[in-house]
Amino acid sequence: MSRWAWAEIDHDAIRHNVEVLRRSVAPSAVWAVVKADGYGHGAIDVARSALDAGAEGLCVALVDEGVELRRAEIRAPILLLSEQPVADAARIVEHGLTPTVYTRPYIEALAALDVDGLDGLDVHLKVDTGMGRVGVAPPDALELAEIIVRHGPRLRLAGVATHLASADDVADPATAAQLAAFAAVLATLPATPVVHAANSAGGLAHPHARYSFVRAGIAIYGISPGHGVDHLCRDLRPVLSLRARVSFLKRVEAGTRISYGLRHTFVTPTTVATIPIGYADGVPRRLFETGGEVLVGGRRRPIVGVVTMDQLMVDVGDDPVAVGDEVVLIGEQGGERVSAEEWADRLGTIGYEIVCGVSRRIARVPRRNIGD
Ligand SMILES: *Cc1c(COP(=O)(O)O)cnc(C)c1O
């Protein structure tokens, strides 16, 4: 290993989480969402483990993300979750990706592609039932569906989809309203092989959202979509852990101040460990002022001073800590755990942003068969 900071990716946990989700949404299927490099976990390896555990398809945001999976010889269906630049449309066909569509110009552009192999491109029609991001408005859905059908057999209307805005807030009536709007649109559209609406929270908390399959992202990674559904995530296991080693140790006196701005002052003598991981690796600078802690020797220890670009400091008290000792920033050590959700709560964000923020500078180290 070329540096003393890395992320471990527990592939047993991915398989476990996919199995948990499959059981809880059956008879609906699970498609694994591996956009943004598998939420920072490594898309190719995550995709393989998820498919291995019975996920029936994959979802990505970008054409490049789909192509990366195809280059890794992954042959499962790959759904692009939103329309992409028309200039890239030929690559969708060349690599056997399934586009989501919701505008007439994009549908016409796909139908007009002069590419070998375009003799039946499956497309999924996305309806915006209330998320307000992308999708055809419900009153216009039938017209677009008819345009797709008219472009048969070059295009095939293979699916209809929507996306839920607040499925993790189980008390919010917006989800029921979205699902009712979706059902009303579906009743007007030609029948399609698949229909899908649910993200992780939708699949876990809203049985009526499950349809043919659940597009499960965050739950695959063992992270709760939000506190409103934490109780449905108890069987999930976190996949990513962020680890480093102590690179430097020193004693400090009472009154010593530390890090940029000298914003932390020690009130008693103590030992400070320097950890070679910083905000350029995805440890937010603000984690210091919001009470961030790491695990050293199985104990919670506070970050002291602002997190710098490449390094941060931790007060390890009078514990016998040595250079080279393992430090856990996210994950478990000695029965203690710091979760991505804990960081998210401290920072006023969601676990998604924490794991997606672990930068490319951090190697992803796969772990398998840990229990064996
Ligand atoms: C990212 C995304 C998902 C996955 O959401 P999770 O909350 O991570 O399960 C599902 N559907 C769409 C359209 C998305 O953009």
Side-chain angles (χ1 to χ4, degrees), residues 33 35 39 81 126 133 163 199-201 215-219 225 352:
V33 182
K35 60 191 179 187
Y39 291 40
L81 292 169
K126 178 133 179 194
R133 187 168 62 177
H163 189 51
N199 51 8
S200 296
R215 304 183 305 261
I218 200 71
Y352 300 68

Side-chain angles (χ1 to χ4, degrees), residues 21 31-35 39 59-61 79-82 100 126 131 133-134 161-164 167-168 196-203 214-221 223-225 352:
L21 285 166
W31 284 37
V33 182
V34 296
K35 60 191 179 187
Y39 291 40
C59 304
V60 294
L79 178 67
L80 284 164
L81 292 169
S82 55
T100 291
K126 178 133 179 194
M131 170 70 182
R133 187 168 62 177
V134 294
T162 193
H163 189 51
L164 302 173
D168 59 315
H196 49 105
N199 51 8
S200 296
V214 171
R215 304 183 305 261
I218 200 71
I220 302 277
Y221 306 99
I223 294 171
S224 171
Y352 300 68

